[in-house]
């Protein structure tokens, strides 16, 4: 059975930060990373290729996990510096007309009223094309930037997030869809009977409402989530419209998607309304041989320089991997950080040294190597096995050459096979996401 049409997104790890500044194809990114040019070019290329959405990852701290210091992170521009992605959203919306734009927001640190008002405003500015990637945040350093001594425990963070989205949706609904009548003859702009207080008084949040911004164009803008732990999966299955799936093998993808769909159904949702898009890092070149040479080169470089991977994992999990012997298995470790990511890391490490694990680990699927047509065929095979719903480009390599290889090389090959859309069917992000 051939794979049905699937969705495409791009997970911009590093967000509004420094992208590949040492790469030979980086151009002048080291000097102008804080300007919007590269990300605007990415968004325009993605819309040309009819992607569903661009997701801007974000965090609010300078890591010091690896070696107990900020030195490695700052010297290598790893996860810092990073500017706030929110001001980028209107610029990206202005540069495009159909592409969904998804900034990242922490449910642990944003007040629900502020987030509801901001996203509603952006949804109107973009004519119904924004989403919101909800994260609970994992770092104690981030928590300390917002007045806490340590971060909340993993369970409490998700309990808080569940109430957070409940409050935000109540605030979006505080204006009924037809509350604005703009009747100049009667002198009535908004019907007071259709604007309501929220009066929420919960365990973590208290807000009166109503929102002093209009109901979003989409009603409820698209919610994105990336929970990998059991509690994270439950939260995502209950609340998310699209989920960032992280898996290293096709069977893992299939198992993850089936689990999410079962959880969504148990929540009373239609599983088809919860799209799981899996992180991938395709290596595309004019020929299969050239692509394989490039993939082999990247693998060799990763094996020779394991510190960046260990430092990245450290900043995600809060574990200082510099204190472990590289030539011994990792052993038992625990975290108050991203438990799903740590579980993946540990699972891959069974019977392998930390050096071997760090040189071969990826947050996504890396088994896509070849010419555009070959990779398109591989993606078709994967989706045929998994069952849906699509992919998120999630590579660490982001420069204009790679963007073109994906959007102007790989995607046309997918379109020729009828696997991805060649034109948008709707004006709004949510409608395009739920189209198939």
């Amino acid at each position: 059975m051939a794979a049905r049409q699937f969705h495409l997104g791009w997970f911009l790890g590093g967000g509004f930060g420094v992208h590949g500044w040492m790469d030979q194809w980086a151009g002048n990114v080291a000097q102008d990373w804080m300007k919007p040019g590269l990300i605007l070019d990415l968004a325009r290329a993605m819309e040309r290729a009819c992607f569903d959405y661009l997701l801007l990852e974000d965090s609010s701290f300078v890591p010091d996990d690896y070696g107990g210091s900020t030195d490695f992170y700052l010297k290598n521009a790893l996860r810092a510096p990073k500017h706030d992605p929110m001001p980028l959203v209107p610029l990206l919306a202005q540069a495009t007309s159909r592409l969904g734009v998804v900034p990242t927001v922490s449910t642990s640190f944003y007040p629900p009223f502020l987030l509801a008002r901001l996203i509603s405003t952006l949804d109107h500015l973009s004519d119904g094309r924004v989403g919101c990637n909800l994260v609970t945040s994992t770092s104690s350093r981030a928590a300390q930037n917002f007045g806490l001594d340590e971060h909340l425990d993993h369970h409490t963070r998700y309990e808080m997030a569940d109430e957070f989205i409940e409050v935000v949706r109540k605030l979006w609904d505080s204006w009924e869809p037809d509350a604005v009548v703009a009747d100049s003859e009667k002198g009535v702009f908004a019907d007071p009977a259709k604007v309501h207080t929220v009066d929420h008084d919960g365990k973590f949040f208290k807000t009166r409402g109503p929102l002093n911004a209009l109901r979003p164009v989409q009603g409820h803008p698209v919610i994105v989530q990336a929970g990998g732990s059991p509690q994270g999966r439950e939260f995502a299955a209950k609340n998310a419209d699209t989920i960032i799936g992280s898996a290293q093998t096709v069977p893992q993808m299939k198992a993850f998607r089936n689990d999410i769909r079962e959880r969504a159904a148990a929540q009373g949702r239609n599983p088809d309304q919860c799209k799981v898009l899996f992180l991938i890092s395709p290596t595309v070149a004019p020929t299969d041989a050239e692509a394989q040479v490039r993939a082999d080169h990247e693998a060799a470089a990763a094996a020779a320089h394991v510190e960046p991977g260990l430092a990245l994992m450290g900043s995600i999990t809060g574990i200082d991997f510099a204190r472990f012997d590289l030539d011994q298995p990792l052993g038992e470790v625990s975290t108050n950080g991203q438990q799903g990511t740590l579980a993946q890391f540990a699972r891959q490490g069974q019977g392998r040294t930390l050096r071997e694990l760090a040189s071969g680990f990826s947050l996504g699927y890396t088994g896509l190597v070849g010419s555009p047509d070959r990779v398109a065929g591989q993606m078709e095979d994967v989706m045929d096995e998994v069952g849906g719903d699509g992919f998120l480009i999630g590579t660490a390599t982001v420069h204009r050459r790679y963007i073109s290889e994906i959007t102007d090389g790989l995607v046309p090959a997918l379109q020729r096979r009828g696997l991805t859309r060649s034109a948008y069917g709707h004006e709004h992000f949510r409608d395009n996401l739920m189209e198939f």
Side-chain angles (χ1 to χ4, degrees):
M1 182 181 69
R4 64 180 182 178
Q5 197 169 53
F6 53 78
H7 298 272
L8 290 176
W10 198 302
F11 179 89
L12 188 61
F16 193 2
V18 185
H19 293 282
W21 68 285
M22 292 286 286
D23 193 282
Q24 65 176 322
W25 300 103
N28 58 352
V29 72
Q31 289 75 39
D32 64 5
W33 70 270
M34 72 296 295
K35 298 177 182 178
L38 175 65
I39 303 177
L40 290 176
D41 284 349
L42 170 60
R44 293 187 187 101
M46 288 176 63
E47 180 158 283
R48 196 166 59 243
C50 299
F51 274 65
D52 282 79
Y53 63 91
L54 169 60
L55 190 154
L56 303 165
E57 180 269 344
D58 194 34
S59 57
S60 53
F61 66 105
V62 177
D64 63 354
D65 304 279
Y66 190 72
S69 168
T70 62
D71 289 1
F72 188 87
Y73 297 95
L74 293 174
K75 287 179 180 178
N76 293 277
L78 181 62
R79 303 205 74 187
K82 188 183 292 184
H83 283 179
D84 192 320
M86 283 297 182
L88 268 180
V89 176
L91 300 180
L92 293 166
Q94 181 122 22
T96 57
S97 64
R98 292 293 184 272
L99 182 71
V101 183
V102 183
T104 295
V105 171
S106 173
T107 59
S108 299
F109 307 135
Y110 252 82
F113 188 95
L114 179 63
L115 186 279
R117 187 178 186 227
L118 178 57
I119 293 298
S120 181
T121 301
L122 292 172
D123 203 41
H124 282 276
L125 287 175
S126 66
D127 291 324
R129 292 190 291 119
V130 301
C132 191
N133 176 38
L134 296 180
V135 300
T136 62
S137 297
T138 60
S139 173
S140 289
R141 292 292 183 244
Q144 289 160 6
N145 289 335
F146 291 90
L148 302 176
D149 292 328
E150 294 293 333
H151 205 351
L152 302 169
D153 68 86
H154 184 269
H155 175 82
T156 303
R157 294 201 302 266
Y158 272 105
E159 189 180 8
M160 186 176 184
D162 209 41
E163 186 180 341
F164 182 98
I165 189 58
E166 176 190 353
V167 176
V168 166
R169 283 175 167 153
K170 284 180 178 179
L171 288 164
W172 285 336
D173 289 339
S174 64
W175 287 65
E176 294 183 25
D178 57 350
V180 175
V181 294
D183 188 333
S184 57
E185 292 185 4
K186 295 182 179 179
V188 176
F189 183 81
D191 183 346
K194 296 184 177 182
V195 181
H196 313 283
T197 60
V198 168
D199 299 317
H200 180 91
D201 189 358
K203 180 176 179 179
F204 300 100
F205 304 109
K206 183 177 182 178
T207 187
R208 179 184 183 275
L211 202 63
N212 67 332
L214 294 183
R215 178 183 175 85
V217 175
Q218 299 175 95
H220 292 177
V222 172
I223 298 298
V224 186
Q225 223 279 323
S229 66
Q231 194 172 6
R233 294 185 188 202
E234 194 67 22
F235 175 79
K238 178 181 179 181
N239 296 295
D241 300 299
T242 179
I243 295 173
I244 304 165
S246 178
Q248 286 74 50
T249 68
V250 176
Q252 287 175 10
M253 289 185 195
K254 187 172 184 177
F256 180 87
R257 181 172 182 267
N258 288 344
D259 181 56
I260 290 294
R261 290 176 64 82
E262 289 172 5
R263 291 174 187 268
Q267 294 279 356
R269 297 185 65 192
N270 177 356
D272 290 338
Q273 300 298 303
C274 187
K275 309 295 185 183
V276 181
L277 272 59
F278 288 98
L279 289 167
I280 58 171
S281 299
T283 301
V284 183
T287 67
D288 295 343
E290 290 177 79
Q292 192 60 57
V293 167
R294 188 184 299 180
D296 292 343
H297 175 77
E298 292 172 354
H305 304 284
V306 298
E307 280 191 306
L310 291 175
L312 177 61
M313 282 299 301
S315 69
I316 292 173
T317 63
I319 297 170
D320 181 7
F321 289 99
R323 62 187 174 88
F324 297 102
D325 187 336
L326 282 173
D327 297 308
Q328 294 293 324
L330 177 59
E332 292 292 327
V333 288
S334 60
T335 182
N336 189 39
Q338 288 190 20
Q339 294 186 4
T341 302
L342 179 61
Q344 287 185 48
F345 193 60
R347 183 170 58 245
Q348 292 289 308
Q350 294 179 359
R352 305 168 68 193
T353 67
L354 181 58
R355 186 189 304 277
E356 292 169 336
L357 174 58
S359 65
F361 182 76
S362 170
L363 292 174
Y365 180 67
T366 58
L368 302 170
V369 179
S371 65
D373 191 62
R374 180 178 177 85
V375 173
Q378 293 168 344
M379 292 170 69
E380 180 175 15
D381 291 342
V382 170
M383 275 294 104
D384 189 29
E385 178 66 23
V386 174
D389 298 292
F391 298 102
L392 280 170
I393 306 298
T395 179
T397 303
V398 181
H399 48 64
R400 288 174 175 86
R401 171 176 164 167
Y402 185 76
I403 293 168
S404 181
E405 287 171 345
I406 298 299
T407 61
D408 301 310
L410 174 58
V411 172
L414 292 168
Q415 292 169 335
R416 286 192 294 271
R417 291 170 175 260
L419 297 173
T420 62
R421 67 164 68 90
S422 55
Y424 291 100
H426 303 277
E427 294 183 2
H428 299 158
F429 176 16
R430 174 179 292 281
D431 293 336
N432 284 314
L433 183 66
M434 298 302 165
E435 183 178 11
F436 48 83

